[in-house]
Amino acid sequence: MTPSTQAPAVASAESSGSGKKKVYKRDHNINWWLTAIIALLSLIVLVPLYFTLVTALKTPATAGTFSLPDSWNWHNFADASVKVNFPKAALNSAIVTIAAVILTLLTNTFVAYAVARNMDKLFFRCVYYFFIAAMFVPFPVIMLPLAKQMGSLHLDNTVGLIILYMVLGLGTNLFIATGFIRSIPVSLEEAARIDGASTWTIFWRIIFPLMGPINATIAILTALWAWNDFLMPLIVLTDQSNQTIPLAQYVFSSQFATNYPMAFASYLMAMAPILIVYVFAQKWVVGGVMRGAVK
């Protein structure tokens, strides 16, 4: 029988009983209305960014409209940098973010490994569901007790803030990493144990390298959270010299007036580093979440 010369959009299959051929057509029609709506909604996301950019280049008197500025006041960025002491605030945010990411990867992934490999035991199942349930507790509910406790432990500083990011992110990270670890064949670990490897060696030499996509996802989500967070540094940090960028930017708001152009210029400067990181790493965020959530 000669190969079929039909178009790729048509596939034929021989029926089991009568020898007749059934022809199936693949639907390649595009829903242009739905595509247009999705494209329009995607463009709407750019509206706040455009408003922020044009406002940052205006004077306080002309701020508040979508029109282009009459004069491009680029000095707003320099003035905002001086007003909030941007280099110092950026350094504080960078220290908190980098330390939180490193400690989160070193601790949360190991906890996820221990839970994933012992889900048949009651204690580890309870630990897993305890941290998953903690994800549904609103932060304002524990905000004031947490601030009081950190003060009594003398951790109302950068170190305490880093520890909180590491601990409070455990529920989400455990949910993401556990499903992925359980998809890794146990036979790899059994072969390593035969060669005399300990549990610690198996995790760092075998499991941790295989968790590359998940580690990237956890690192990016933690970095976005620590860099942009305002509420937790506000209730934890007591020394003004340790202020992160969101806290330093609060100087633009007062009871009587707000310098919107200078404030928006500061917001753009703070957003730029983490936005660049996210643009280049967003595929790992989506891919890692999907791999971790579905075994």
Side-chain angles (χ1 to χ4, degrees):
M1 174 180 279
T2 59
S4 175
T5 58
Q6 292 178 338
V10 179
S12 60
E14 185 175 351
S15 62
S16 57
S18 60
K20 297 181 180 179
K21 291 184 179 180
K22 296 181 180 179
V23 178
Y24 302 95
K25 293 184 179 181
R26 299 176 184 174
D27 187 8
H28 288 285
N29 295 330
I30 299 176
N31 190 332
W32 291 108
W33 286 107
L34 181 59
T35 303
I37 293 174
I38 294 175
L40 180 61
L41 294 176
S42 301
L43 292 176
I44 291 176
V45 177
L46 299 178
V47 174
L49 182 60
Y50 166 80
F51 181 77
T52 303
L53 182 59
V54 297
T55 303
L57 297 173
K58 292 180 178 181
T59 61
T62 59
T65 62
F66 284 89
S67 61
L68 293 175
D70 298 329
S71 60
W72 302 83
N73 298 278
W74 295 100
H75 62 84
N76 286 337
F77 290 90
D79 296 342
S81 178
V82 174
K83 183 73 173 178
V84 302
N85 193 5
F86 191 82
K88 175 64 175 176
L91 178 61
N92 291 338
S93 290
I95 292 173
V96 171
T97 301
I98 294 173
V101 168
I102 293 175
L103 288 178
T104 297
L105 289 177
L106 293 178
T107 58
N108 291 12
T109 53
F110 192 76
V111 173
Y113 172 67
V115 171
R117 288 296 184 247
N118 295 278
M119 285 294 285
D120 57 325
K121 301 177 181 178
L122 178 62
F123 172 76
F124 289 94
R125 285 203 305 272
C126 292
V127 169
Y128 176 77
Y129 290 117
F130 172 79
F131 284 108
I132 295 300
M135 295 171 56
F136 300 95
V137 178
F139 181 74
V141 174
I142 62 173
M143 180 174 64
L144 294 181
L146 191 63
K148 180 65 175 178
Q149 184 177 11
M150 298 302 288
S152 62
L153 296 175
H154 302 288
L155 289 175
D156 49 350
N157 48 38
T158 302
V159 175
L161 185 61
I162 294 171
I163 293 175
L164 286 179
Y165 285 128
M166 177 183 66
V167 174
L168 297 181
L170 183 57
T172 303
N173 299 334
L174 191 65
F175 174 74
I176 294 174
T178 300
F180 181 81
I181 294 174
R182 295 183 68 184
S183 67
I184 299 176
V186 183
S187 57
L188 295 176
E189 302 173 38
E190 294 175 346
R193 292 188 187 279
I194 293 176
D195 293 336
S198 62
T199 301
W200 188 260
T201 303
I202 290 173
F203 176 74
W204 291 114
R205 296 288 183 88
I206 299 176
I207 303 300
F208 193 79
L210 291 176
M211 293 177 63
I214 299 299
N215 290 337
T217 301
I218 293 175
I220 294 166
L221 293 179
T222 303
L224 290 172
W225 178 27
W227 183 271
N228 297 321
D229 190 26
F230 171 78
L231 192 55
M232 197 181 304
L234 177 66
I235 67 171
V236 172
L237 299 178
T238 56
D239 190 351
Q240 190 173 2
S241 62
N242 294 329
Q243 282 187 336
T244 57
I245 290 180
L247 284 184
Q249 291 172 336
Y250 195 61
V251 72
F252 294 113
S253 298
S254 65
Q255 182 179 358
F256 302 103
T258 299
N259 191 332
Y260 288 108
M262 196 179 297
F264 281 31
S266 176
Y267 300 154
L268 288 173
M269 289 190 296
M271 181 179 63
I274 205 69
L275 181 62
I276 293 173
V277 172
Y278 182 76
V279 166
F280 287 100
Q282 60 179 336
K283 62 179 181 180
W284 287 305
V285 175
V286 178
V289 171
M290 293 302 296
R291 292 185 186 187
V294 181
K295 181 181 176 184

